[in-house]
Amino acid sequence: MALDPGEYDISELGPAIQGVENVDELEAILEAEKAGEDRVGAKRLVESRIEKFREDGDGGDGGFDPSEMSPADIANALQDVDSVERLQEIRELEEDAEDRDNVLRLVDKRIDSIQGSDEQTVVERDPPEERHPDLDHPTADKQYVEDLADGTYRDMWVYCETTDGELLDVSREMLGKARRLMDGYNDEYGRDERVVGVLLGDGVADLTDEVVALGADVVVYQEDAELGRFRHQPYTELFSGLARAGGELDDEPDAGDSSWRDYDEPRYVLFPATNNGRDLSALVQAELDSGLASDCSGLYIDDTVVSNPAKTGREGDKREFEAVLHMKRPDFSGFEYSTILCLDNPTREFHPQAASVIPGSFEAPEPDPSREGETYEYDFDLPEEWFGVEVTEHDELDSGVDLTGHDVVVALGRGIGDDPTEGMELGLELTDAFADAALGITRGIVTSSYDFDGHVEQYAAEERQIGETGQVVEPKLYVAAGISGAVQHKVGMDESDTIVAVNTDPDADIRDFSDYYVRGDLFEVLPALTEALESGELDEAALTAGGVGDD
């Protein structure tokens, strides 16, 4: 068997099986998952991979007839063909049939991308100031843009966000994930790079031991009463200063002891995808002149080969990048994920490779008080102009609603639109019928203009939103009523043990990843479910009135 699925989180399993191209091995992985943890999401990943190969017929090696395809379809299909011999066969088939010039050029270009063209063209790139002399380019005036050439990069840094003197849960989750990533990285590449925790704020020195216990090898921090409240400029300047400390671009070498490191900037950085974390991650990466993948739910490190001339420097060349952080995030529509890579150009380096992580995406580790680590305090200057805005008064908001940790979550979507108040009432009644349940909603309700009666209006607040920009839940039972199943919602609940969907649309996307699907009107189905819980008997007639589907 190519791999043991039990050794992977679901977010890690998908990338891992991309390297398995044998259907028999994939079926063995599927059987191992069924015999082991038997996770619905994991089984779907493997089944989807198997289905892909079966649809391709011969495993995606180009077994198609170009005469039966449009040029656009051929262009897509050619990306799966890595054999020059097979590409030449496809070219001959096209010449004997349609003999379309544009198709022949597509095949020739694919052949060149694999074996390299005899006449390689160097991609010349002029500076933006020369290409656009009529425009003002603020980035051209930045102190560090392209100043760092042949830099050295090591370690994975984790920004550990805090509130009220405590680490956020997502900070703990990122430390655990970073520990697992760097342990695997060191084993794979024979190196000894570290996890570095970063703390900024007032009184954060008290948290350094906890950060080490959660997986960090080194903790760097700066504390000051002025940093008690998150502010964009000081936090950006300080994090960037810490990232450069001891390196070629360190402009304040007396701010702290940087003898513990021998590199210019971090190799990787993780930020939390919280309100403050999203702001800070974008600002820091812009200051460090690199890229950012935001709102990620999956991370892994692997080598990658690209043929994009912007990255290779020559048309037709391939270039291998080692130990690239692959950052997975949900697309804006459809049930797909994009994997974001931050790769150097021939004339410009992009480090650190950085991602912001959706809270709840990874499991938080158990603290290990016996772990040992190093701690370094810094004292960068804090110019008065960084604190031009003074907060004279503030109100403490309620801590909000925590939907995690419940056995059952009942979630409502835009299907309640015919009567929003009654729909919310029915959801609350079903929630109350369970011993340990909570009510959640989709972003569609949060952003809608529904007019709720006062007694249920509070349940339509953003604090109950589940999904990419809301909470991530993993209950034993998830009841999705009137929810279409957009990917932004899916990432917030697809790790639930059992998913029951109620929807009038037989083609709703949520049907594809539900364990049970009830085709029916939630205004009829939810009362029947509530009555069944309270009586201990299910009135199947009440359900079948709208039709029942069991996937």
Side-chain angles (χ1 to χ4, degrees), residues 186-207:
N186 290 329
D187 288 344
E188 178 69 21
Y189 297 98
R191 298 173 186 167
D192 188 22
E193 297 191 22
R194 298 160 293 187
V195 174
V196 179
V198 182
L199 290 165
L200 299 172
D202 184 20
V204 293
D206 296 337
L207 298 174

Side-chain angles (χ1 to χ4, degrees), residues 342-398:
C342 185
L343 305 175
D344 294 341
N345 286 352
T347 58
R348 180 174 173 183
E349 298 176 5
F350 289 97
H351 281 78
Q353 301 171 27
S356 64
V357 175
I358 298 174
S361 297
F362 306 117
E363 184 177 350
E366 289 295 327
D368 180 4
S370 66
R371 287 196 83 253
E372 296 182 355
E374 304 172 33
T375 301
Y376 297 92
E377 181 177 9
Y378 284 77
D379 187 21
F380 286 94
D381 290 338
L382 299 176
E384 187 175 339
E385 56 265 27
W386 289 1
F387 303 91
V389 176
E390 180 181 356
V391 179
T392 59
E393 185 178 348
H394 73 279
D395 290 327
E396 190 77 22
L397 297 177
D398 292 338

Side-chain angles (χ1 to χ4, degrees), residues 162-210:
T162 65
T163 183
D164 296 329
E166 295 184 0
L167 292 174
L168 296 186
D169 286 345
V170 66
S171 298
R172 298 183 176 92
E173 295 162 8
M174 290 190 302
L175 284 166
K177 181 62 175 178
R179 180 73 273 152
R180 295 191 294 273
L181 285 171
M182 292 312 288
D183 285 345
Y185 167 89
N186 290 329
D187 288 344
E188 178 69 21
Y189 297 98
R191 298 173 186 167
D192 188 22
E193 297 191 22
R194 298 160 293 187
V195 174
V196 179
V198 182
L199 290 165
L200 299 172
D202 184 20
V204 293
D206 296 337
L207 298 174
T208 56
D209 288 343
E210 182 180 2

